[in-house]
Amino acid sequence: MASNKTSVFRSLALVLALLLIVSMAESRTFAGGLETSLPTCDSVYGAQEGDTCSDVTEKFNLSTDVFLAINPNINCDAIFVGQWLCVVGSA
């Protein structure tokens, strides 16, 4: 009787594990199937001492949304001298 319960438990565990694996694989397929465009950069600017995101957007006549879209990994609180910032591009 105990052997039968163990067998049922193992079968149930295997089925649940299989369902979990299939579910994870499908969610990756759906997310991976979405078309996302990567930003392209045609011109860069090397940050100078004291530059902020606002300074750069004003200097190159960019909206904040466009600037952030073409610089997706920017941390506006930690711009450093010499950091390459995209100032002409598309997202």
Side-chain angles (χ1 to χ4, degrees), residues 68 70-75 83:
L68 294 175
I70 61 178
N71 292 282
N73 296 321
I74 188 126
N75 178 351
Q83 181 176 359

Side-chain angles (χ1 to χ4, degrees), residues 7 66-67 90:
S7 177
V66 169
F67 179 74
S90 60

Side-chain angles (χ1 to χ4, degrees), residues 17-55:
L18 179 63
L19 287 174
L20 180 61
I21 291 168
V22 168
S23 174
M24 289 172 49
E26 285 187 13
S27 68
R28 287 185 183 159
T29 300
F30 289 134
L34 296 176
E35 289 187 32
T36 57
S37 61
L38 296 175
T40 58
C41 187
D42 299 320
S43 181
V44 294
Y45 164 75
Q48 303 295 312
E49 187 172 344
D51 275 347
T52 64
C53 287
S54 297
D55 293 335

